[in-house]
Amino acid sequence: MGDFADYARKDFDKKKNVVASADKNDQKDVQFNVEDAKSFSAPEVAVPDTVVNTEVTAPVVSTGDTAVALGRGLDVGTANLVSSFQDASGNVNLKIQRNAFIDIDCDDYTRNMLTRLGVQYVVVNGRMVVVGDPAFELANIFNRNTRRPMKEGMISPDEADALPIEKMLLETLLEQPKTPGEICYYSVPAEPIDADMNVVYHQGVFGGLLKGLGYEPKPLVEGHAVVFSELAEDDFTGIGISCGGGMFNVCVSYKSIPALSFSTSRGGDWIDRNVASVLGISSSRACGLKEKGIDITNPNGREEEAVEIYYRNLIAYTLKNIKERFESSSSMPKFPDPISIVCAGGTSMIGGFTEVFKQEFEKINFPMDVKEIRLAEDPLYSVSKGCLVAALSESV
Amino acid sequence: MKPQRDGDWMSSSFDVPEALQKRVSTIAVDDLAKRGMRTVKVLDKAAILSLVDEAVEQVVATRLQNLDTEDRDKIREEAKSQFKKLVAERNSHQKEKQQAYEDRIENLRAQAVSLEEKLVQAESAKEEFARQAEEQTEASASEVLNPAVAPVPNPVIDSDQLKEVIKEAVAEAKGDTPSSSDAQMEGLKASIDALASKVTSGSSSRGSHSTGSKVIEPPTEEALVALFSKETGEKIENNLDQVEVKNAKAGGVSANLAKLKNLRKETE
Ligand SMILES: Nc1ncnc2c1ncn2[C@@H]1O[C@H](COP(=O)(O)OP(=O)(O)OP(=O)(O)O)[C@@H](O)[C@H]1O
Ligand SMILES: [Mg+2]
């Protein structure tokens, strides 16, 4: 597939040039599709508050026994990869893969064993690489850590095997496009404010991978995706926060147009690392502790207290950053009505998350009127669904 | 010197193992069995060599007894000069090795210096770039629409290639060098490695918002292209299509879609 390499290279060049030549009036953004966003845009136009209840039918392609709508969503996350499409009856179907792997010695016995056990593998450089959830189980058996193709929201530069593995994982999640050049919106981190990372490179890599699979890739910043999936009733106005494994992604949106979006490199992994270090346990144990179903409004014992402390810290840090960025920005639209804050992502799924979020919110003088702070309907699938909404809306 | 079987036994050498090797023939055990042989007597190489040694010693001992003084002196002289010749040969060989080794160290040192210069260049380019980026960011009207900052042009240094060269050099130089300088060599190698990685990782960077200390450096564009071309080459073995991926269903997005399309229509 020379096509793939070419695309990635061109895409990379193009973005590098866009970025390098961007002058102050040139409102081009490499992180989400501004042309598309602009077409929604006209803040001065009053939008009547009518609720649209006509079912919109997206263009449908019939392939044999199943008919699905054109357009795909893909959440490219540090911890999870989630693809989505809309089936004939209007349901959203998702496929989920843990974005992790582990490599083991390659032989016929292992090969057969893994297939029989229903464990997925890929052979890379003569080693068998087990991907997805079973990688965690095997890591425990072998007392090793899983390897992660991504780190803090981006493709990991330290992981040489990351690319072939991500490609494989995407193939299992997306299959072939229904028509050549089917649109696939994929999530990318917004500009990180506390780390020096190359979003352009990351975006180019996944754009290239998707192009290689036959899709027309379109990036969407993760917080914006949360807005698309959770804030329809507010006319896509409000704050969407994706609380992920590698980072938090924030998007302040006005009528579907992002007014402010950024990311921080603290997320679930950050909590795991810190809890692990204060308790003197491994990060994966800390993660298990965190996910086992505790309530951070009512922590039980030293271990759960450690989790609560870092959750509070992370939420306060996020709120403080929204406030600072909002206040320092000169181009904030006026929000005439109180807004909603919606949290999505795996890290928001801990017991008591919204309560603690509200408590921390009360502690700072937040610059916007907020009417509601709530969790997304499907926190783990919210970003993918938002990408799907964007893709369906453009697939005519 | 060609192995000789007879002639002047002092000034020639005879390679017994090689001679043995030349004369042995290999027969499959099955063939032997076909010829009706059920047991085989085995004489191993060490046994043969020690037999040869014994025989030679005996011959030499008896011959020496029969030599007159003149012959004995002659033999002693020959032995002496042969020995001297060998020592001289060995010394000059050693000298060559030493010279090659020193050349290599010199070479590595020169590489280190040039790397250091490139690093300084890269760093000042980076600073300059960060300064420009800062200006752009400040001047920009909208934060959201302000694009990320492009990587600084990279100095063309392939650190992997460099490391490979160094590794080879070290391995080669190590072969026959006095062991006291191994440590020196290792130290040099380590510092060049460190320098090389510093140059690679320091060579591209986004400038504007590095408020934190955490810096994750992307690979260079060359590395990116290399990765892609590696990826396209081979077909990767896997069983991914034989195993079901975790599935889920979620609430529909029709309402969102309708809202979005409506909003877009109204603003057109
Ligand atoms: N029930 C739970 N309670 C607390 N944390 C959870 C729970 N389930 C998952 N997590 C955490 O959520 C994180 C993964 O969330 P998610 O899948 O949204 O991240 P991601 O999108 O892959 O990462 P990112 O967006 O940062 O790149 C992990 O840190 C995981 O430990
Ligand atoms: Mg995410």
Side-chain angles (χ1 to χ4, degrees):
Chain A
M1 273 184 284
D3 179 19
F4 173 62
D6 280 359
Y7 172 78
R9 200 196 171 110
K10 276 189 213 124
D11 198 44
F12 187 82
D13 279 347
K14 195 176 74 199
K15 273 159 193 154
K16 212 166 67 176
N17 292 339
V18 165
V19 157
S21 67
D23 79 51
K24 33 201 144 157
N25 300 321
D26 186 5
Q27 296 199 323
K28 274 222 180 75
D29 192 347
V30 290
Q31 292 175 7
F32 70 97
N33 199 317
V34 182
E35 273 73 38
D36 300 327
K38 270 187 191 158
S39 64
F40 311 141
S41 168
E44 66 279 7
V45 175
V47 178
D49 215 352
T50 47
V51 179
V52 182
N53 50 16
T54 43
E55 284 278 297
V56 169
T57 40
V60 164
V61 169
S62 182
T63 50
D65 48 346
T66 51
V68 300
L70 276 181
R72 300 268 173 166
L74 177 69
D75 176 3
V76 178
T78 313
N80 293 296
L81 298 166
V82 186
S83 74
S84 54
F85 69 90
Q86 191 182 45
D87 66 20
S89 43
N91 287 324
V92 174
N93 288 251
L94 303 111
K95 284 188 175 181
I96 304 104
Q97 281 277 24
R98 288 303 279 248
N99 203 350
F101 66 104
I102 189 168
D103 56 326
I104 46 183
D105 288 334
C106 183
D107 56 48
D108 283 342
Y109 174 79
T110 318
R111 202 175 260 124
N112 294 334
M113 202 63 187
L114 292 179
T115 303
R116 219 166 329 128
L117 291 173
V119 173
Q120 299 182 309
Y121 70 79
V122 185
V123 177
V124 180
N125 296 332
R127 308 269 301 157
M128 300 191 77
V129 175
V130 172
V131 295
D133 286 298
F136 283 91
E137 287 153 34
L138 284 173
N140 282 338
I141 295 169
F142 296 128
N143 198 20
R144 279 170 45 191
N145 278 322
T146 51
R147 292 167 66 186
R148 310 267 296 262
M150 279 173 57
K151 193 175 160 188
E152 293 175 1
M154 316 261 186
I155 192 93
S156 170
D158 326 317
E159 199 37 272
D161 294 328
L163 282 179
I165 286 170
E166 293 298 58
K167 179 165 186 281
M168 281 291 157
L169 287 171
L170 291 194
E171 274 171 3
T172 66
L173 288 174
L174 284 166
E175 301 146 353
Q176 293 293 309
K178 297 293 170 234
T179 60
E182 179 178 0
I183 290 174
C184 178
Y185 262 96
Y186 65 106
S187 69
V188 294
E191 184 189 1
I193 56 167
D194 55 1
D196 199 0
M197 296 191 287
N198 198 320
V199 183
V200 178
Y201 169 72
H202 171 82
Q203 189 174 310
V205 165
F206 280 92
L209 285 169
L210 287 168
K211 188 88 180 173
L213 290 176
Y215 287 92
E216 185 187 343
K218 297 200 170 192
L220 184 71
V221 281
E222 193 162 334
H224 200 190
V226 174
V227 170
F228 278 151
S229 66
E230 310 297 332
L231 288 169
E233 284 176 16
D234 295 317
D235 274 334
F236 305 102
T237 298
I239 302 179
I241 306 177
S242 167
C243 311
M247 49 183 8
F248 271 33
N249 266 275
V250 177
C251 179
V252 181
S253 167
Y254 182 76
K255 296 202 189 295
S256 87
I257 313 295
L260 165 67
S261 57
F262 65 89
S263 67
T264 65
S265 61
R266 294 184 187 178
D269 294 344
W270 179 85
I271 292 177
D272 299 348
R273 272 201 308 278
N274 282 288
V275 169
S277 98
V278 292
L279 297 179
I281 58 176
S282 74
S283 287
S284 43
R285 266 210 55 200
C287 181
L289 174 72
K290 180 190 74 180
E291 289 182 13
K292 77 165 194 259
I294 67 180
D295 184 344
I296 49 171
T297 57
N298 185 20
N300 247 321
R302 202 170 84 91
E303 295 188 332
E304 296 192 7
E305 271 165 17
V307 176
E308 184 229 320
I309 287 167
Y310 285 104
Y311 253 101
R312 263 189 202 286
N313 189 300
L314 181 53
I315 290 167
Y317 176 77
T318 307
L319 283 166
K320 184 183 81 127
N321 275 309
I322 300 175
K323 177 176 151 80
E324 280 174 12
R325 291 238 127 194
F326 192 88
E327 286 170 347
S328 69
S329 177
S330 52
S331 60
M332 275 304 145
K334 288 263 170 297
F335 288 85
D337 303 312
I339 56 156
S340 295
I341 298 179
V342 186
C343 297
T347 297
S348 72
M349 284 161 63
I350 198 149
F353 183 86
T354 36
E355 286 75 7
V356 170
F357 197 106
K358 284 172 189 162
Q359 288 165 11
E360 294 305 311
F361 179 85
E362 293 305 327
K363 291 183 193 166
I364 64 167
N365 187 13
F366 203 72
M368 279 171 272
D369 280 342
V370 173
K371 65 175 180 197
E372 179 192 35
I373 295 171
R374 63 178 161 91
L375 277 196
E377 198 182 322
D378 305 297
L380 272 180
Y381 309 143
S382 181
V383 171
S384 188
K385 276 169 71 178
C387 290
L388 179 62
V389 170
L392 292 173
S393 79
E394 278 178 34
S395 299
V396 193
Chain B
M1 256 182 282
K2 267 192 171 168
Q4 278 171 262
R5 237 147 71 96
D6 34 39
D8 193 347
W9 53 270
M10 272 305 275
S11 57
S12 70
S13 63
F14 180 71
D15 190 338
V16 178
E18 194 188 305
L20 269 177
Q21 194 57 44
K22 271 189 188 154
R23 284 167 184 74
V24 294
S25 58
T26 310
I27 300 173
V29 183
D30 284 350
D31 290 343
L32 286 175
K34 273 185 208 143
R35 292 186 207 169
M37 291 187 210
R38 306 205 149 262
T39 59
V40 205
K41 285 188 178 135
V42 179
L43 198 55
D44 71 15
K45 207 156 131 194
I48 295 172
L49 290 179
S50 84
L51 276 176
V52 173
D53 275 353
E54 244 173 70
V56 170
E57 261 168 38
Q58 270 178 29
V59 171
V60 171
T62 46
R63 285 222 189 160
L64 278 176
Q65 270 171 10
N66 301 336
L67 286 174
D68 56 23
T69 34
E70 201 184 310
D71 281 341
R72 245 181 249 184
D73 287 349
K74 203 180 140 202
I75 288 166
R76 207 171 281 136
E77 273 315 305
E78 256 177 40
K80 241 193 227 167
S81 75
Q82 180 73 13
F83 180 71
K84 273 186 192 157
K85 203 177 123 205
L86 283 174
V87 169
E89 259 176 26
R90 197 183 143 69
N91 280 350
S92 90
H93 188 62
Q94 196 79 359
K95 230 180 224 162
E96 266 171 35
K97 279 268 153 85
Q98 184 66 29
Q99 190 56 49
Y101 170 72
E102 274 163 17
D103 287 351
R104 251 179 213 292
I105 290 200
E106 198 40 53
N107 204 344
L108 290 175
R109 231 175 240 135
Q111 286 188 33
V113 169
S114 108
L115 277 171
E116 205 134 28
E117 279 165 3
K118 283 188 175 141
L119 179 63
V120 171
Q121 278 172 16
E123 224 123 64
S124 69
K126 188 174 154 186
E127 267 160 31
E128 168 65 13
F129 191 80
R131 201 184 48 74
Q132 286 176 6
E134 206 68 50
E135 284 172 12
Q136 272 182 11
T137 311
E138 274 156 24
S140 141
S142 157
E143 259 171 329
V144 189
L145 302 176
N146 185 34
V149 179
V152 174
N154 303 326
V156 192
I157 300 167
D158 184 340
S159 76
D160 281 347
Q161 208 181 330
L162 180 62
K163 277 181 196 159
E164 208 42 54
V165 170
I166 293 167
K167 222 165 82 191
E168 269 170 31
V170 170
E172 212 176 285
K174 241 184 183 171
D176 298 274
T177 43
S179 60
S180 62
S181 45
D182 276 6
Q184 186 192 352
M185 199 64 177
E186 281 303 320
L188 193 62
K189 178 184 173 290
S191 64
I192 291 180
D193 270 0
L195 201 59
S197 68
K198 224 168 147 192
V199 171
T200 329
S201 59
S203 60
S204 66
S205 170
R206 300 170 60 250
S208 61
H209 281 284
S210 48
T211 47
S213 58
K214 183 112 210 192
V215 175
I216 293 176
E217 294 296 347
T220 60
E221 195 193 335
E222 295 91 273
L224 169 65
V225 172
L227 274 169
F228 282 137
S229 33
K230 175 182 143 200
E231 193 276 340
T232 55
E234 76 241 54
K235 180 105 188 77
I236 301 166
E237 180 200 332
N238 69 86
N239 71 347
L240 296 188
D241 52 353
Q242 292 165 45
V243 177
E244 217 14 60
V245 180
K246 190 172 153 195
N247 274 286
K249 275 196 199 285
V253 290
S254 305
N256 304 48
L257 198 55
K259 260 263 150 93
L260 193 54
K261 287 193 167 175
N262 206 36
L263 188 58
R264 195 189 296 188
K265 220 173 277 159
E266 281 161 8
T267 55
E268 252 161 20

